[in-house]
Amino acid sequence: MAEIIQKDGTWTFDGDTVRIVPGSDKSVSLLRKTLGEVAVPLTALAGISFEPGKKSGRLRLRLRNGADPLLQITGGKLEDSSDPYRLTVENDRTGVAEYFVDEVRNALLLEQVQTGPVDTYLLPGPALPITVGAGDGTATFDGERIRLEWNWKTEESKSSGGVRSVALEDVDAVEWLPSAGLENGYLRFRVTKVGSPPPPKYDPYAVELWGFRKDPLMALIGAAVTARMPHPYAPEDAVPPPAPSGDDHDALLRRLRDLGELHQAGILTEEEFTTAKRAVLKRL
């Protein structure tokens, strides 16, 4: 087994899976801490590299196109600090990083893993249920329905319609765009039988994002929904396999523990924690 432990996180490889655990250092992004542990099967990998630097190096995993719903929804627009497949490596651990790269590359060669795109998600996406508050609203997804609630910053014409609840089967597409410069970002759900949407500021099926600390977390909501929709590269006549439901007892107990830790760390507000906890207990 190969392992590298850094302030940024810990990566281990057992021959079949690269297991990524984010570090607890204050420099680790909110998105990576909230996403938690990620297990990447060897079959999802297109490659791995180590980039040395003057002060520190970077270990990077490259996933096959279509393997991960988070990368699918973010489309290369995630900042490096929020990328779960990047690890900052101190210069005194360069040798360990290079050994890690060699072990993964050798396994890819031995198993003859293809590097091309895949037509089914090989990673399950963020654990459910998930609730994120950012920008002008709060989004919750429990695997079946998306719930959008508004706050005091929401445009009145948008909030006047009240809470929006959308069934997964009524969603045609999910769009996520981070804010950039003077342009606001958004998380938008394109709903069946709804025409061209208005700008996110006025769209009742979109959360507008203004570039604040919690904005990247909306990508996790988008990824969770995307993971349970038909894969964009699947054959037209294929029936999409059900995404992992996360409903087994142990997984739900772990989710409760993770939610408690996020709440204690101040990442989730009392309202967000209560909503997410209620959804988990309902599944128990």
Side-chain angles (χ1 to χ4, degrees), residues 67-146:
D68 179 20
L70 177 60
L71 296 185
Q72 187 70 30
I73 188 68
T74 54
K77 297 183 178 68
L78 269 183
E79 294 183 352
D80 273 0
S81 61
S82 293
D83 186 349
Y85 307 115
R86 163 195 164 281
L87 181 72
T88 299
V89 179
E90 300 299 326
N91 283 339
D92 62 352
R93 288 292 180 269
T94 294
V96 179
E98 291 173 342
Y99 172 74
F100 194 97
V101 168
D102 288 342
E103 288 293 294
V104 175
R105 284 179 177 171
N106 288 338
L108 289 170
L109 287 172
L110 286 172
E111 297 298 328
Q112 298 183 332
V113 176
Q114 301 298 310
T115 59
V118 294
D119 58 9
T120 186
Y121 291 119
L122 302 179
L123 282 85
L128 297 181
I130 181 170
T131 297
V132 173
D136 67 351
T138 296
T140 299
F141 180 55
D142 63 4
E144 298 175 356
R145 301 193 72 85
I146 303 156

Side-chain angles (χ1 to χ4, degrees), residues 150-221:
W150 314 115
N151 56 42
W152 63 273
K153 296 170 285 188
T154 310
E155 176 68 27
E156 185 177 356
S157 61
K158 179 176 174 176
S159 61
S160 61
V163 174
R164 294 283 174 166
S165 181
V166 185
L168 178 63
E169 59 265 27
D170 292 332
V171 177
D172 287 333
V174 184
E175 301 170 355
W176 175 84
L177 187 71
S179 58
L182 298 177
E183 296 294 325
N184 292 338
Y186 60 85
L187 172 67
R188 188 202 305 274
F189 301 98
R190 287 189 174 265
V191 180
T192 305
K193 298 180 180 179
V194 173
S196 298
K201 181 176 182 178
Y202 306 102
D203 187 352
Y205 298 104
V207 177
E208 187 179 32
L209 305 173
W210 302 313
F212 296 143
R213 179 171 174 262
K214 289 189 175 183
D215 280 12
L217 297 183
M218 278 295 172
L220 298 181
I221 294 281

Side-chain angles (χ1 to χ4, degrees), residues 128-131 140-142 252-253 255-261 263 268-284:
L128 297 181
I130 181 170
T131 297
T140 299
F141 180 55
D142 63 4
L252 291 173
L253 289 178
R255 184 58 176 161
L256 278 176
R257 181 198 63 196
D258 292 343
L259 289 171
E261 291 176 353
H263 179 236
L268 293 180
T269 65
E270 184 67 35
E271 181 181 358
E272 292 166 350
F273 172 65
T274 300
T275 301
K277 183 175 70 172
R278 186 183 302 121
V280 175
L281 292 175
K282 181 179 179 181
R283 286 171 175 265
L284 282 171

